[in-house]
Amino acid sequence: MDLVEKFDAKGKTGAPYHVEVYQIRLDEANEASAVDQRSYKLADGRALDPLSNEKFRIVQTGEKIYRV
């Protein structure tokens, strides 16, 4: 799993968060059918569910955060 992106996000209260995006390549029978899978986490390790490219939900708390 490789770190491929970092960005800042904020919650509705204005609390700042640092998001890290990890990518893993799922190899299929050949390179043409390989799939890249991304996972999103806060810098403190909590998992995120992507709701869109700009909006995420913290799995542990349900809080929605937004890319800034």
Side-chain angles (χ1 to χ4, degrees):
M1 191 171 348
D2 297 319
L3 178 63
V4 294
E5 183 181 1
K6 288 182 178 183
F7 60 88
D8 293 323
K10 287 194 178 189
K12 286 188 176 184
T13 63
Y17 296 94
H18 301 289
V19 177
E20 298 176 343
V21 184
Y22 293 89
Q23 184 169 300
I24 187 168
R25 178 163 285 253
L26 302 176
D27 293 325
E28 298 293 331
N30 60 51
E31 187 67 22
S33 61
V35 176
D36 289 333
Q37 182 177 357
R38 289 186 167 210
S39 64
Y40 298 82
K41 296 181 182 180
L42 294 176
D44 66 10
R46 291 184 286 170
L48 296 173
D49 280 335
L51 303 174
S52 73
N53 192 40
E54 304 296 321
K55 186 165 57 170
F56 304 85
R57 184 177 61 84
I58 301 172
V59 173
Q60 184 180 22
T61 65
E63 179 183 1
K64 291 180 184 171
I65 63 173
Y66 305 86
R67 185 188 296 247
V68 291

